[in-house]
Amino acid sequence: MNWKELWMTLFGTTEWLGLNIGFWVAMAVVLLIVIVMNVVFWTMKPKADAKESDIVN
């Protein structure tokens, strides 16, 4: 299956805002990874044994 031909059949173009669709797919993948990482890290709880005195030395 050729994705470019499929896309051309459905939408009639392989560019959007002057940029190739491959660029936009890559940007969407990066955006998805960033969102997943933010969700994972923002939902983590801090360690209970981390104290201010340990951080300062």
Side-chain angles (χ1 to χ4, degrees):
M1 173 185 297
N2 189 344
W3 290 105
K4 189 173 181 179
E5 287 181 29
L6 179 63
W7 191 269
M8 278 293 289
T9 303
L10 293 174
F11 301 107
T13 184
T14 58
E15 292 185 1
W16 186 57
L17 297 177
L19 295 169
N20 190 303
I21 292 299
F23 170 81
W24 295 112
V25 170
M27 288 298 288
V29 169
V30 170
L31 181 65
L32 181 65
I33 291 170
V34 168
I35 290 171
V36 168
M37 287 178 70
N38 273 288
V39 167
V40 167
F41 290 125
W42 278 99
T43 56
M44 285 182 160
K45 301 281 185 214
K47 286 179 130 179
D49 62 346
K51 297 182 180 96
E52 240 182 84
S53 61
D54 294 339
I55 296 169
V56 176
N57 287 336

